Amino acid sequence: MIIMLCQDIIKILEEQSPREYALGWDNVGLLVGRRDKEVKKILLAVDATVEVCNKAINENVDMIITHHPMIFSGLKRINGDTAVGEKILSLIEAGIVCYAMHTNFDTKGGMAKLAANKLDLVNQEVLEETCEGEGIGQIGFLEEPVTVKELGVKVKEQFDLNNVMIYGDIQQKVDRIGICPGSGKSVIDVAINKNVQCLITGDIGHHDGIDAVDDGLIIIDATHYGIEKIFMKYMYDYLTNLKIDAKILMADVGVPFVVV
């Protein structure tokens, strides 16, 4: 049996999604724990929530790999008075390391490419280039135009969603599609300037949606988690195909809200 250390797993992850591809405001990499930690069991998750951390502790996981960083901004103290502090302490006490691959995975790992492929988009290009021909989001074409309603149904089916929100005319036919998994407010203007007809993303507010429609862009809000949960299955397959000597689990905790 080959002993895998945290630093060995990190090397594999950063060959695929180098840290230098992360955006300047991001916080990726090893956020909690020691690089020389022996890793026999890995838990994949979108977010290091309390539920995910407890699952890791209860199932004797050695390493959590998340998409979103558990620590985004600077911390002046680490104690049990805050949720973040409590999670950090609980992981350290359990000897669990936590690693995040966020916008470096979006950019170089290909979150948007994965999502675009699930929708069978062809002739793809980067929506917003951020580094050496790579970037955030993808633009592509459907094989033939469909109504926005039909596209919304396909998004629900392909990403296993209960619902999506559509801003714009659901009977309009579209074929030039943009997709930006996660929060895509910042790429609305880019999508408009690149003649995207419909942008599929998440975290769209009331004014974002109606303003985009006024500017000629239809938006399908599939929620932030709704699209980005594909991170777990992709990383599971990626690490499994490399035949790393560690058990890999996925923590699909579901969309963090309920529509009633």
Side-chain angles (χ1 to χ4, degrees):
M1 181 175 182
I2 300 174
I3 296 176
M4 297 290 293
L5 303 180
C6 173
Q7 61 197 22
D8 300 323
I9 305 296
I10 290 175
K11 183 178 179 181
I12 291 170
L13 299 177
E14 294 186 353
E15 285 175 353
Q16 183 212 33
S17 301
R19 290 180 59 187
E20 57 265 27
Y21 280 85
L23 301 184
W25 50 263
D26 206 359
N27 187 35
V28 302
L30 182 62
L31 302 185
V32 176
R34 299 183 183 278
R35 292 180 180 273
D36 60 357
K37 165 72 178 181
E38 185 176 347
V39 177
K40 296 180 180 178
K41 188 181 289 188
I42 296 170
L43 180 63
L44 302 170
V46 176
D47 299 280
T49 62
V50 171
E51 182 179 357
V52 167
C53 291
N54 287 341
K55 179 179 176 66
I57 293 168
N58 293 335
E59 300 199 20
N60 297 312
V61 164
D62 303 299
M63 182 176 191
I64 301 174
I65 300 174
T66 66
H67 181 48
H68 296 139
M70 183 173 67
I71 304 170
F72 252 123
S73 54
L75 299 173
K76 290 187 176 182
R77 55 184 61 84
I78 299 174
N79 56 43
D81 294 341
T82 66
V84 173
E86 181 62 34
K87 288 189 290 187
I88 293 172
L89 288 174
S90 67
L91 293 182
I92 290 174
E93 289 165 355
I96 299 172
V97 297
C98 187
Y99 183 92
M101 44 196 309
H102 189 208
T103 53
N104 54 326
F105 180 78
D106 290 337
T107 302
K108 188 63 175 176
M111 178 78 85
K113 293 175 185 176
L114 295 173
N117 290 342
K118 286 179 73 68
L119 295 176
D120 302 316
L121 299 185
V122 298
N123 300 326
Q124 292 183 31
E125 62 182 85
V126 173
L127 176 59
E128 182 178 32
E129 184 174 329
T130 59
C131 185
E132 300 175 4
E134 303 286 353
I136 302 298
Q138 286 288 106
I139 299 173
F141 286 88
L142 297 168
E143 290 287 357
E144 59 182 36
V146 299
T147 66
V148 174
K149 182 177 180 180
E150 290 171 330
L151 179 58
V153 170
K154 183 169 185 175
V155 170
K156 285 175 57 178
E157 292 173 348
Q158 292 301 309
F159 294 98
D160 192 23
L161 305 174
N162 292 325
N163 56 272
V164 296
M165 293 178 61
I166 298 176
Y167 295 87
D169 181 1
I170 62 173
Q171 297 304 326
Q172 179 176 330
K173 287 202 168 185
V174 295
D175 64 351
R176 183 167 170 81
I177 311 302
I179 187 161
C180 181
S183 180
K185 298 177 184 179
S186 64
V187 300
I188 287 177
D189 288 343
V190 177
I192 292 170
N193 290 335
K194 291 193 172 182
N195 299 314
V196 169
Q197 295 172 305
C198 180
L199 174 66
I200 303 165
T201 186
D203 291 349
I204 296 299
H206 172 76
H207 293 290
D208 304 308
I210 62 174
D211 289 348
V213 172
D214 285 345
D215 285 325
L217 177 67
I218 293 172
I219 292 183
I220 296 177
D221 187 332
T223 76
H224 197 125
Y225 183 87
I227 301 178
E228 290 197 327
K229 65 185 180 184
I230 61 176
F231 166 81
M232 291 180 290
K233 180 62 166 61
Y234 175 82
M235 290 306 303
Y236 178 89
D237 291 341
Y238 177 73
L239 294 173
T240 300
N241 289 337
L242 290 175
K243 295 181 171 56
I244 67 167
D245 206 352
K247 184 176 181 179
I248 305 169
L249 309 175
M250 291 188 288
D252 190 352
V253 297
V255 178
F257 61 84
V258 176
V259 177
V260 297

PDB file of all heavy atoms in Angstrom, residues 16 22 26 31 38 52 70 84 100 118 129 134 141 150 162 174 176 179 191 205 222 224 230 239-240 252:
ATOM      1  N   GLN A  16      -3.675  19.843 -12.107  1.00  0.00           N
ATOM      2  CA  GLN A  16      -4.892  20.042 -12.881  1.00  0.00           C
ATOM      3  C   GLN A  16      -5.353  21.503 -12.836  1.00  0.00           C
ATOM      4  O   GLN A  16      -5.708  22.089 -13.855  1.00  0.00           O
ATOM      5  CB  GLN A  16      -6.017  19.162 -12.332  1.00  0.00           C
ATOM      6  CG  GLN A  16      -7.293  19.283 -13.157  1.00  0.00           C
ATOM      7  CD  GLN A  16      -8.533  19.110 -12.312  1.00  0.00           C
ATOM      8  OE1 GLN A  16      -8.578  19.484 -11.160  1.00  0.00           O
ATOM      9  NE2 GLN A  16      -9.544  18.536 -12.915  1.00  0.00           N
ATOM     10  N   ALA A  22      -6.171  31.164 -10.015  1.00  0.00           N
ATOM     11  CA  ALA A  22      -7.221  31.728  -9.170  1.00  0.00           C
ATOM     12  C   ALA A  22      -7.252  33.246  -9.323  1.00  0.00           C
ATOM     13  O   ALA A  22      -6.224  33.895  -9.559  1.00  0.00           O
ATOM     14  CB  ALA A  22      -6.984  31.351  -7.711  1.00  0.00           C
ATOM     15  N   ASP A  26      -9.527  35.678  -4.453  1.00  0.00           N
ATOM     16  CA  ASP A  26      -9.880  34.349  -3.970  1.00  0.00           C
ATOM     17  C   ASP A  26      -8.904  33.861  -2.897  1.00  0.00           C
ATOM     18  O   ASP A  26      -7.837  34.453  -2.673  1.00  0.00           O
ATOM     19  CB  ASP A  26      -9.897  33.384  -5.154  1.00  0.00           C
ATOM     20  CG  ASP A  26     -10.807  32.198  -4.937  1.00  0.00           C
ATOM     21  OD1 ASP A  26     -11.414  32.106  -3.863  1.00  0.00           O
ATOM     22  OD2 ASP A  26     -10.928  31.370  -5.853  1.00  0.00           O
ATOM     23  N   LEU A  31      -6.097  25.245   3.465  1.00  0.00           N
ATOM     24  CA  LEU A  31      -6.598  26.256   4.403  1.00  0.00           C
ATOM     25  C   LEU A  31      -6.498  25.807   5.852  1.00  0.00           C
ATOM     26  O   LEU A  31      -6.389  26.640   6.753  1.00  0.00           O
ATOM     27  CB  LEU A  31      -8.060  26.600   4.065  1.00  0.00           C
ATOM     28  CG  LEU A  31      -8.324  27.108   2.654  1.00  0.00           C
ATOM     29  CD1 LEU A  31      -9.781  27.521   2.509  1.00  0.00           C
ATOM     30  CD2 LEU A  31      -7.409  28.266   2.293  1.00  0.00           C
ATOM     31  N   GLU A  38      -1.092  12.067   6.703  1.00  0.00           N
ATOM     32  CA  GLU A  38      -1.360  10.879   5.896  1.00  0.00           C
ATOM     33  C   GLU A  38      -2.843  10.857   5.518  1.00  0.00           C
ATOM     34  O   GLU A  38      -3.712  11.083   6.370  1.00  0.00           O
ATOM     35  CB  GLU A  38      -0.997   9.611   6.668  1.00  0.00           C
ATOM     36  CG  GLU A  38      -1.132   8.345   5.832  1.00  0.00           C
ATOM     37  CD  GLU A  38      -0.675   7.096   6.574  1.00  0.00           C
ATOM     38  OE1 GLU A  38      -0.034   7.230   7.636  1.00  0.00           O
ATOM     39  OE2 GLU A  38      -0.976   5.987   6.074  1.00  0.00           O
ATOM     40  N   VAL A  52     -20.980  19.152   6.658  1.00  0.00           N
ATOM     41  CA  VAL A  52     -19.886  18.467   5.964  1.00  0.00           C
ATOM     42  C   VAL A  52     -18.745  18.165   6.927  1.00  0.00           C
ATOM     43  O   VAL A  52     -18.182  17.059   6.919  1.00  0.00           O
ATOM     44  CB  VAL A  52     -19.396  19.315   4.770  1.00  0.00           C
ATOM     45  CG1 VAL A  52     -18.068  18.779   4.229  1.00  0.00           C
ATOM     46  CG2 VAL A  52     -20.446  19.335   3.669  1.00  0.00           C
ATOM     47  N   MET A  70     -13.420  27.607   2.759  1.00  0.00           N
ATOM     48  CA  MET A  70     -14.056  27.760   4.068  1.00  0.00           C
ATOM     49  C   MET A  70     -13.666  29.096   4.693  1.00  0.00           C
ATOM     50  O   MET A  70     -14.430  29.707   5.435  1.00  0.00           O
ATOM     51  CB  MET A  70     -13.642  26.611   4.991  1.00  0.00           C
ATOM     52  CG  MET A  70     -14.308  26.654   6.359  1.00  0.00           C
ATOM     53  SD  MET A  70     -13.962  25.182   7.343  1.00  0.00           S
ATOM     54  CE  MET A  70     -12.204  25.373   7.627  1.00  0.00           C
ATOM     55  N   VAL A  84     -17.157  29.792  11.696  1.00  0.00           N
ATOM     56  CA  VAL A  84     -15.904  29.480  11.004  1.00  0.00           C
ATOM     57  C   VAL A  84     -14.849  29.017  11.996  1.00  0.00           C
ATOM     58  O   VAL A  84     -14.140  28.020  11.770  1.00  0.00           O
ATOM     59  CB  VAL A  84     -15.394  30.690  10.201  1.00  0.00           C
ATOM     60  CG1 VAL A  84     -14.007  30.412   9.637  1.00  0.00           C
ATOM     61  CG2 VAL A  84     -16.351  31.036   9.074  1.00  0.00           C
ATOM     62  N   ALA A 100      -9.094  23.905  -0.661  1.00  0.00           N
ATOM     63  CA  ALA A 100     -10.109  24.500  -1.545  1.00  0.00           C
ATOM     64  C   ALA A 100      -9.530  24.767  -2.926  1.00  0.00           C
ATOM     65  O   ALA A 100      -8.410  25.264  -3.067  1.00  0.00           O
ATOM     66  CB  ALA A 100     -10.621  25.805  -0.942  1.00  0.00           C
ATOM     67  N   LYS A 118     -22.467  19.315 -20.654  1.00  0.00           N
ATOM     68  CA  LYS A 118     -23.690  18.645 -20.226  1.00  0.00           C
ATOM     69  C   LYS A 118     -24.893  19.152 -21.026  1.00  0.00           C
ATOM     70  O   LYS A 118     -25.902  18.441 -21.154  1.00  0.00           O
ATOM     71  CB  LYS A 118     -23.929  18.858 -18.727  1.00  0.00           C
ATOM     72  CG  LYS A 118     -22.996  18.041 -17.831  1.00  0.00           C
ATOM     73  CD  LYS A 118     -23.257  18.296 -16.376  1.00  0.00           C
ATOM     74  CE  LYS A 118     -24.536  17.654 -15.890  1.00  0.00           C
ATOM     75  NZ  LYS A 118     -24.466  16.175 -15.865  1.00  0.00           N
ATOM     76  N   GLU A 129     -12.200  35.953 -20.472  1.00  0.00           N
ATOM     77  CA  GLU A 129     -10.822  35.496 -20.331  1.00  0.00           C
ATOM     78  C   GLU A 129     -10.154  36.190 -19.155  1.00  0.00           C
ATOM     79  O   GLU A 129     -10.226  37.403 -19.004  1.00  0.00           O
ATOM     80  CB  GLU A 129     -10.032  35.766 -21.613  1.00  0.00           C
ATOM     81  CG  GLU A 129      -8.614  35.226 -21.576  1.00  0.00           C
ATOM     82  CD  GLU A 129      -7.887  35.360 -22.907  1.00  0.00           C
ATOM     83  OE1 GLU A 129      -8.553  35.298 -23.967  1.00  0.00           O
ATOM     84  OE2 GLU A 129      -6.652  35.529 -22.880  1.00  0.00           O
ATOM     85  N   GLU A 134      -7.647  31.136 -20.844  1.00  0.00           N
ATOM     86  CA  GLU A 134      -8.620  30.486 -19.963  1.00  0.00           C
ATOM     87  C   GLU A 134      -9.423  31.575 -19.257  1.00  0.00           C
ATOM     88  O   GLU A 134      -9.077  32.753 -19.282  1.00  0.00           O
ATOM     89  CB  GLU A 134      -7.911  29.604 -18.930  1.00  0.00           C
ATOM     90  CG  GLU A 134      -7.014  28.540 -19.523  1.00  0.00           C
ATOM     91  CD  GLU A 134      -7.802  27.396 -20.130  1.00  0.00           C
ATOM     92  OE1 GLU A 134      -9.036  27.359 -19.970  1.00  0.00           O
ATOM     93  OE2 GLU A 134      -7.172  26.527 -20.771  1.00  0.00           O
ATOM     94  N   PHE A 141     -22.918  27.024 -28.825  1.00  0.00           N
ATOM     95  CA  PHE A 141     -24.156  26.972 -29.600  1.00  0.00           C
ATOM     96  C   PHE A 141     -24.870  25.653 -29.377  1.00  0.00           C
ATOM     97  O   PHE A 141     -24.237  24.598 -29.259  1.00  0.00           O
ATOM     98  CB  PHE A 141     -23.858  27.126 -31.095  1.00  0.00           C
ATOM     99  CG  PHE A 141     -23.484  28.519 -31.510  1.00  0.00           C
ATOM    100  CD1 PHE A 141     -22.164  28.937 -31.454  1.00  0.00           C
ATOM    101  CD2 PHE A 141     -24.451  29.408 -31.949  1.00  0.00           C
ATOM    102  CE1 PHE A 141     -21.808  30.220 -31.838  1.00  0.00           C
ATOM    103  CE2 PHE A 141     -24.112  30.696 -32.334  1.00  0.00           C
ATOM    104  CZ  PHE A 141     -22.791  31.106 -32.285  1.00  0.00           C
ATOM    105  N   GLU A 150     -37.889  25.394 -23.279  1.00  0.00           N
ATOM    106  CA  GLU A 150     -37.304  24.077 -23.550  1.00  0.00           C
ATOM    107  C   GLU A 150     -35.891  23.987 -22.992  1.00  0.00           C
ATOM    108  O   GLU A 150     -35.485  22.942 -22.448  1.00  0.00           O
ATOM    109  CB  GLU A 150     -37.296  23.817 -25.058  1.00  0.00           C
ATOM    110  CG  GLU A 150     -38.676  23.586 -25.652  1.00  0.00           C
ATOM    111  CD  GLU A 150     -38.681  23.556 -27.170  1.00  0.00           C
ATOM    112  OE1 GLU A 150     -37.832  24.240 -27.792  1.00  0.00           O
ATOM    113  OE2 GLU A 150     -39.541  22.849 -27.739  1.00  0.00           O
ATOM    114  N   ASN A 162     -34.909  20.840  -9.171  1.00  0.00           N
ATOM    115  CA  ASN A 162     -36.362  20.869  -9.017  1.00  0.00           C
ATOM    116  C   ASN A 162     -36.984  22.033  -9.766  1.00  0.00           C
ATOM    117  O   ASN A 162     -38.146  21.954 -10.201  1.00  0.00           O
ATOM    118  CB  ASN A 162     -36.741  20.950  -7.538  1.00  0.00           C
ATOM    119  CG  ASN A 162     -36.394  19.687  -6.780  1.00  0.00           C
ATOM    120  OD1 ASN A 162     -36.488  18.590  -7.319  1.00  0.00           O
ATOM    121  ND2 ASN A 162     -35.984  19.830  -5.535  1.00  0.00           N
ATOM    122  N   VAL A 174     -33.594  30.480 -28.904  1.00  0.00           N
ATOM    123  CA  VAL A 174     -32.196  30.849 -28.683  1.00  0.00           C
ATOM    124  C   VAL A 174     -31.293  29.699 -29.107  1.00  0.00           C
ATOM    125  O   VAL A 174     -31.693  28.534 -29.101  1.00  0.00           O
ATOM    126  CB  VAL A 174     -31.934  31.199 -27.204  1.00  0.00           C
ATOM    127  CG1 VAL A 174     -32.713  32.451 -26.792  1.00  0.00           C
ATOM    128  CG2 VAL A 174     -32.302  30.023 -26.292  1.00  0.00           C
ATOM    129  N   ARG A 176     -27.408  30.694 -29.125  1.00  0.00           N
ATOM    130  CA  ARG A 176     -26.099  31.148 -28.644  1.00  0.00           C
ATOM    131  C   ARG A 176     -26.201  31.319 -27.124  1.00  0.00           C
ATOM    132  O   ARG A 176     -26.808  32.273 -26.625  1.00  0.00           O
ATOM    133  CB  ARG A 176     -25.680  32.449 -29.318  1.00  0.00           C
ATOM    134  CG  ARG A 176     -24.275  32.933 -28.908  1.00  0.00           C
ATOM    135  CD  ARG A 176     -23.785  34.047 -29.826  1.00  0.00           C
ATOM    136  NE  ARG A 176     -22.584  34.698 -29.351  1.00  0.00           N
ATOM    137  CZ  ARG A 176     -21.350  34.231 -29.500  1.00  0.00           C
ATOM    138  NH1 ARG A 176     -21.146  33.080 -30.138  1.00  0.00           N
ATOM    139  NH2 ARG A 176     -20.297  34.892 -29.037  1.00  0.00           N
ATOM    140  N   ILE A 179     -22.824  30.150 -20.250  1.00  0.00           N
ATOM    141  CA  ILE A 179     -23.033  29.493 -18.957  1.00  0.00           C
ATOM    142  C   ILE A 179     -21.896  29.859 -18.020  1.00  0.00           C
ATOM    143  O   ILE A 179     -20.717  29.808 -18.390  1.00  0.00           O
ATOM    144  CB  ILE A 179     -23.172  27.956 -19.098  1.00  0.00           C
ATOM    145  CG1 ILE A 179     -23.563  27.336 -17.754  1.00  0.00           C
ATOM    146  CG2 ILE A 179     -21.929  27.305 -19.688  1.00  0.00           C
ATOM    147  CD1 ILE A 179     -24.149  25.952 -17.862  1.00  0.00           C
ATOM    148  N   ALA A 191     -21.509  39.057 -21.329  1.00  0.00           N
ATOM    149  CA  ALA A 191     -22.395  38.224 -22.145  1.00  0.00           C
ATOM    150  C   ALA A 191     -23.155  39.057 -23.162  1.00  0.00           C
ATOM    151  O   ALA A 191     -23.298  38.672 -24.328  1.00  0.00           O
ATOM    152  CB  ALA A 191     -23.368  37.475 -21.236  1.00  0.00           C
ATOM    153  N   GLY A 205     -30.278  38.552  -8.810  1.00  0.00           N
ATOM    154  CA  GLY A 205     -31.259  39.318  -8.060  1.00  0.00           C
ATOM    155  C   GLY A 205     -32.304  39.929  -8.980  1.00  0.00           C
ATOM    156  O   GLY A 205     -32.181  39.898 -10.208  1.00  0.00           O
ATOM    157  N   ALA A 222     -30.151  28.928 -12.341  1.00  0.00           N
ATOM    158  CA  ALA A 222     -30.201  27.521 -11.919  1.00  0.00           C
ATOM    159  C   ALA A 222     -29.652  27.341 -10.509  1.00  0.00           C
ATOM    160  O   ALA A 222     -29.388  26.206 -10.091  1.00  0.00           O
ATOM    161  CB  ALA A 222     -29.424  26.658 -12.908  1.00  0.00           C
ATOM    162  N   HIS A 224     -26.780  28.783  -7.413  1.00  0.00           N
ATOM    163  CA  HIS A 224     -25.326  28.686  -7.277  1.00  0.00           C
ATOM    164  C   HIS A 224     -24.899  27.219  -7.112  1.00  0.00           C
ATOM    165  O   HIS A 224     -24.058  26.708  -7.841  1.00  0.00           O
ATOM    166  CB  HIS A 224     -24.884  29.507  -6.059  1.00  0.00           C
ATOM    167  CG  HIS A 224     -23.432  29.825  -6.028  1.00  0.00           C
ATOM    168  ND1 HIS A 224     -22.951  31.108  -5.914  1.00  0.00           N
ATOM    169  CD2 HIS A 224     -22.336  29.037  -6.101  1.00  0.00           C
ATOM    170  CE1 HIS A 224     -21.634  31.088  -5.914  1.00  0.00           C
ATOM    171  NE2 HIS A 224     -21.234  29.832  -6.018  1.00  0.00           N
ATOM    172  N   ILE A 230     -21.604  19.746  -9.743  1.00  0.00           N
ATOM    173  CA  ILE A 230     -20.909  18.838 -10.663  1.00  0.00           C
ATOM    174  C   ILE A 230     -19.428  18.726 -10.320  1.00  0.00           C
ATOM    175  O   ILE A 230     -18.755  17.797 -10.765  1.00  0.00           O
ATOM    176  CB  ILE A 230     -21.076  19.269 -12.133  1.00  0.00           C
ATOM    177  CG1 ILE A 230     -20.476  20.664 -12.381  1.00  0.00           C
ATOM    178  CG2 ILE A 230     -22.542  19.247 -12.543  1.00  0.00           C
ATOM    179  CD1 ILE A 230     -20.529  21.109 -13.841  1.00  0.00           C
ATOM    180  N   LEU A 239      -9.918  11.704  -9.520  1.00  0.00           N
ATOM    181  CA  LEU A 239      -9.028  11.071  -8.547  1.00  0.00           C
ATOM    182  C   LEU A 239      -9.106   9.545  -8.644  1.00  0.00           C
ATOM    183  O   LEU A 239      -8.091   8.857  -8.485  1.00  0.00           O
ATOM    184  CB  LEU A 239      -9.383  11.538  -7.138  1.00  0.00           C
ATOM    185  CG  LEU A 239      -9.127  13.025  -6.857  1.00  0.00           C
ATOM    186  CD1 LEU A 239      -9.674  13.410  -5.481  1.00  0.00           C
ATOM    187  CD2 LEU A 239      -7.642  13.358  -6.951  1.00  0.00           C
ATOM    188  N   THR A 240     -10.292   9.027  -8.916  1.00  0.00           N
ATOM    189  CA  THR A 240     -10.452   7.575  -9.053  1.00  0.00           C
ATOM    190  C   THR A 240      -9.678   7.053 -10.255  1.00  0.00           C
ATOM    191  O   THR A 240      -9.022   6.002 -10.185  1.00  0.00           O
ATOM    192  CB  THR A 240     -11.940   7.205  -9.184  1.00  0.00           C
ATOM    193  OG1 THR A 240     -12.637   7.639  -8.019  1.00  0.00           O
ATOM    194  CG2 THR A 240     -12.109   5.702  -9.353  1.00  0.00           C
ATOM    195  N   ASP A 252     -22.901  15.232  -0.951  1.00  0.00           N
ATOM    196  CA  ASP A 252     -23.934  15.982  -1.659  1.00  0.00           C
ATOM    197  C   ASP A 252     -25.046  16.293  -0.665  1.00  0.00           C
ATOM    198  O   ASP A 252     -25.959  15.499  -0.446  1.00  0.00           O
ATOM    199  CB  ASP A 252     -24.479  15.175  -2.841  1.00  0.00           C
ATOM    200  CG  ASP A 252     -25.379  16.027  -3.736  1.00  0.00           C
ATOM    201  OD1 ASP A 252     -25.693  17.169  -3.353  1.00  0.00           O
ATOM    202  OD2 ASP A 252     -25.758  15.557  -4.816  1.00  0.00           O
TER     203      ASP A 252
END
